Amino acid sequence: MGMKYIDAKMLQKAFLAGAKELEAKKDWINELNVFPVPDGDTGTNMTMTIMSAAKEVAAIENPTMESLSKAISSGSLRGARGNSGVILSQLFRGFTKEIAAADQVTVTILANSFVRATETAYKAVMKPKEGTILTVARGMAERAAELVTETEDIIEFCNQVIEQGDYVLSQTPEMLPVLKQAGVVDSGGQGLMQVVKGAFNFLTGKEVDLTVETAGRVEPVKSSEGIALKEADIKFGYCTEFIVNLEKPYNEKTEQEFKGYLESIGDSLVVVSDDDIVKVHVHTNDPGLAIQKALSLGSLSRMKIDNMREEHHERLIKESEKLAAQQKAGEKKPEPRKPYGFISVSAGEGLDEIFRGIGADYLIQGGQTMNPSTEDMLNAIDRVNADTIYILPNNKNIILAAEQAKSLVEDKKVIVIPSRTIPQGITAIINFAPDLSPEENEANMTEEMARVKTGQITYAVRNTTIDDIEIKEGDIMALGDHGILAVGEEIEATALKSLEAMVEEESELITIYYGRDVSGKDAAALKEKAEEQFSNCEVELHSGSQPIYYYLISVE
């Protein structure tokens, strides 16, 4: 007898089964990673992402589709780590948008959910690459759409969708030569298949472990507002918020025109577009004009207009009472809100000192060994009391999480500078200019850090072949911005080979940050040899104290 629908209780258990299956296969998925570096691999990142959602899902006593959707989407969005984790969270986000309003999930709803999940994930990635988790998700979505007219049985439907997913996964080495050379399939795609297969195992009656530590009460992210403005500083008196339920065509041009109009009648503008709705926040002296313009795009909901001057008086009273209590208790007066601030991902005490010395307000410990989550980013943003906040991920696998955090913040302007290495992040902050606008600084910092070449000296944790270079477990590797720079048996010799690949005739500065597993004596010896071999460059040496990486080397 077939299965015609899935109710909320079944969906809850199926999701937990999928999460547990991914967790069980985490290490195997990690082994599929092409680059053999000792890092927070795909399996780890995806598992931490889904388990963040699973904890919230497991805590729901009487689930509904709406409550499950919220828990899955919110939990995975905030817990997302690494590129694979962020993409997985976006797949869940799209999937849950389709099921949230349903009482039961049928084949039709399930197929629509697969399609919407894929569309949402593709939109979240600026330059989608085929042969990855995205391709596997799309393959399953396309098969799901075909099956709607062929069967109403969810078990038969899921079985064929999984077969298609496995087939597409098997083809990923044909799409990405680096996978074929290494003899593996895409690790993110394999992780996604484990989630789907785990959920399917539950639906078919297999005995699965659903034990998940439940989440405690999750506090909402708070914003630090700082000291209230003087009433005279309130140029636009009404805080106006609403959601536009789109009924007219809304493309990039329409969005820019809409934003331009709102900017002409107010400030503090936030316009967030999400599929068929647009969320608007604007400070204006004439809310009616904003509403009238929005009505030309569709109907409005969740309208809220607050008189900020009236709120100002109330806030002054509350802040006065709070300040008096603080002074009575001997507390310090809160610092005023700054125009700008910096958040940087760092690893190691030496690098922490360097970032603090050049102006970083808040450091997130992370990098290869542990990719910080979107929630970590949000907490950092909350802690920095500034109007504009620049985030420096300093790792290509952290950029998407930073971008995701940015999309969830409305009370501060967040700019993600896409630094892929620690030296790039350092260069970006150094080139910040207080007299430039946020947009000018973003362009300038991004341009300047692109001039930096980075070599990262570490060791291989598994045997593999990359760019026709055979790498054995324990080899010393130099990773460059675009691939392998050198492979050897000695740390110093490999570091010098990496410099040979990076230094050019016009290069002027070599900066070496040595890790916690390198002695100051050995680092000084490398500096001396670099000065001899590359006499056209000035060579600087700093203790970075970073783990895993013997040296981080930059060339400018």
Side-chain angles (χ1 to χ4, degrees):
M1 185 176 176
M3 180 183 293
K4 295 295 182 69
Y5 67 88
I6 300 172
D7 62 23
K9 194 66 179 177
M10 293 168 65
L11 181 64
Q12 180 186 42
K13 291 180 178 179
F15 180 81
L16 295 178
K20 293 290 285 187
E21 172 66 17
L22 176 60
E23 184 180 44
K25 300 292 173 53
K26 173 182 66 177
D27 293 336
W28 172 56
I29 294 167
N30 283 341
E31 289 296 319
L32 296 176
N33 270 30
V34 174
F35 279 92
V37 293
D39 63 3
D41 282 333
T42 301
T44 300
N45 288 329
M46 293 182 75
T47 297
M48 296 185 78
T49 299
I50 198 170
M51 293 310 292
S52 174
K55 290 178 181 179
E56 294 192 25
V57 169
I60 302 174
E61 293 183 7
N62 298 302
T64 62
M65 291 299 179
E66 184 177 6
S67 64
L68 285 176
S69 296
K70 184 176 180 180
I72 293 170
S73 180
S74 176
S76 61
L77 282 172
R78 292 179 177 275
R81 296 175 187 269
N83 293 341
S84 55
V86 172
I87 293 171
L88 182 64
S89 73
Q90 289 295 324
L91 287 169
F92 288 148
R93 179 170 174 249
F95 186 92
T96 55
K97 278 185 178 180
E98 199 67 32
I99 67 170
D103 295 323
Q104 298 174 334
V105 174
T106 61
V107 162
T108 300
I109 292 175
L110 202 52
N112 292 341
S113 299
F114 271 87
V115 172
R116 191 160 183 180
T118 302
E119 291 173 348
T120 303
Y122 265 90
K123 286 179 182 177
V125 180
M126 187 169 293
K127 295 180 179 179
K129 183 184 290 187
E130 297 305 331
T132 65
I133 182 175
L134 290 170
T135 311
V136 176
R138 193 183 71 221
M140 287 193 287
E142 289 173 349
R143 184 63 182 132
E146 293 171 355
L147 288 167
V148 169
T149 58
E150 298 178 18
T151 182
E152 294 181 353
D153 182 1
I154 286 178
I155 299 301
E156 182 183 346
F157 169 88
C158 290
N159 189 52
Q160 292 197 45
V161 167
I162 288 172
E163 284 183 1
Q164 180 66 14
D166 279 338
Y167 171 73
V168 175
L169 178 63
S170 73
Q171 297 303 299
T172 55
E174 303 303 321
M175 304 176 205
L176 287 176
V178 68
L179 295 177
K180 190 169 186 177
Q181 194 173 37
V184 296
V185 296
D186 177 67
S187 55
Q190 186 69 70
L192 177 61
M193 291 310 303
Q194 296 314 125
V195 174
V196 178
K197 288 177 180 179
F200 184 63
N201 285 342
F202 168 77
L203 294 177
T204 54
K206 291 186 180 179
E207 188 173 340
V208 292
D209 176 19
L210 301 179
T211 307
V212 173
E213 177 189 350
T214 58
R217 182 174 181 270
V218 180
E219 292 293 336
V221 176
K222 299 176 182 177
S223 60
S224 7
E225 287 296 333
I227 306 271
L229 296 171
K230 295 178 182 178
E231 187 169 340
D233 293 331
I234 301 177
K235 183 178 178 181
F236 298 100
Y238 295 93
C239 177
T240 306
E241 296 180 4
F242 51 80
I243 288 177
V244 185
N245 303 296
L246 293 172
E247 297 168 359
K248 302 286 180 63
Y250 188 78
N251 52 33
E252 188 174 343
K253 181 181 178 182
T254 311
E255 181 177 15
Q256 292 306 317
E257 290 175 351
F258 184 43
K259 286 181 178 179
Y261 177 83
L262 294 177
E263 285 175 343
S264 72
I265 62 168
D267 65 6
S268 299
L269 177 64
V270 177
V271 176
V272 180
S273 306
D274 187 6
D275 295 330
D276 54 353
I277 66 170
V278 179
K279 186 174 181 181
V280 177
H281 170 280
V282 64
H283 293 175
T284 178
N285 285 328
D286 197 334
L289 292 176
I291 291 170
Q292 185 176 355
K293 183 67 175 179
L295 284 170
S296 67
L297 300 173
S299 60
L300 306 187
S301 61
R302 300 188 188 180
M303 299 174 63
K304 181 171 174 284
I305 301 174
D306 294 319
N307 185 327
M308 292 192 295
R309 293 185 176 91
E310 189 175 280
E311 288 183 343
H312 173 76
H313 290 296
E314 296 176 2
R315 193 183 299 119
L316 279 180
I317 294 171
K318 290 179 181 178
E319 287 181 353
S320 297
E321 292 173 348
K322 181 179 178 181
L323 186 58
Q326 288 175 339
Q327 291 173 342
K328 186 175 181 180
E331 296 179 5
K332 292 182 179 180
K333 183 178 178 180
E335 291 292 327
R337 186 145 163 161
K338 304 191 301 180
Y340 55 83
F342 301 94
I343 295 169
S344 177
V345 176
S346 181
E349 297 85 354
L351 295 173
D352 292 351
E353 289 183 16
I354 292 170
F355 276 115
R356 289 192 188 100
I358 58 178
D361 296 277
Y362 191 93
L363 299 177
I364 300 174
Q365 294 304 310
Q368 290 301 121
T369 51
M370 178 57 68
N371 297 142
S373 67
T374 301
E375 182 74 45
D376 294 330
M377 295 286 181
L378 289 170
N379 290 337
I381 292 168
D382 184 48
R383 295 287 295 275
V384 178
N385 190 20
D387 294 321
T388 300
I389 298 173
Y390 298 87
I391 299 181
L392 301 147
N394 301 334
N395 186 300
K396 65 180 182 180
N397 208 30
I398 300 175
I399 295 173
L400 269 184
E403 290 285 359
Q404 186 151 282
K406 170 185 173 179
S407 71
L408 297 174
V409 176
E410 295 184 0
D411 66 323
K412 298 174 182 177
K413 184 180 181 67
V414 178
I415 296 175
V416 178
I417 305 296
S419 52
R420 297 162 67 90
T421 63
I422 292 284
Q424 284 188 351
I426 291 171
T427 298
I429 294 187
I430 289 173
N431 282 279
F432 174 80
D435 55 328
L436 297 180
S437 69
E439 292 74 21
E440 289 171 326
N441 264 309
E442 179 181 9
N444 187 54
M445 293 163 75
T446 302
E447 180 181 351
E448 290 301 320
M449 76 178 187
R451 304 179 194 277
V452 179
K453 297 178 183 178
T454 305
Q456 304 176 85
I457 316 302
T458 186
Y459 58 91
V461 296
R462 63 181 76 96
N463 299 333
T464 189
T465 301
I466 300 174
D467 298 333
D468 295 324
I469 301 172
E470 186 176 343
I471 300 170
K472 297 178 181 177
E473 182 179 346
D475 280 352
I476 305 302
M477 302 185 302
L479 306 177
D481 297 321
H482 304 290
I484 302 289
L485 295 174
V487 176
E489 297 180 357
E490 302 294 333
I491 297 172
E492 183 181 279
T494 306
L496 289 171
K497 282 184 181 178
S498 73
L499 280 170
E500 289 173 4
M502 290 191 292
V503 174
E504 298 178 346
E505 189 175 338
E506 63 272 19
S507 299
E508 298 177 350
L509 176 64
I510 296 171
T511 307
I512 301 171
Y513 306 90
Y514 63 94
R516 67 184 184 194
D517 296 323
V518 175
S519 69
K521 182 179 178 181
D522 288 343
L526 175 61
K527 176 179 183 290
E528 185 177 343
K529 290 185 179 180
E531 287 173 331
E532 292 175 3
Q533 189 169 341
F534 308 100
S535 56
N536 60 312
C537 293
E538 178 185 350
V539 182
E540 292 184 355
L541 181 65
H542 302 280
S543 172
S545 307
Q546 70 272 6
I548 306 299
Y549 288 83
Y550 301 115
Y551 293 105
L552 299 176
I553 303 174
S554 68
V555 175
E556 300 177 55

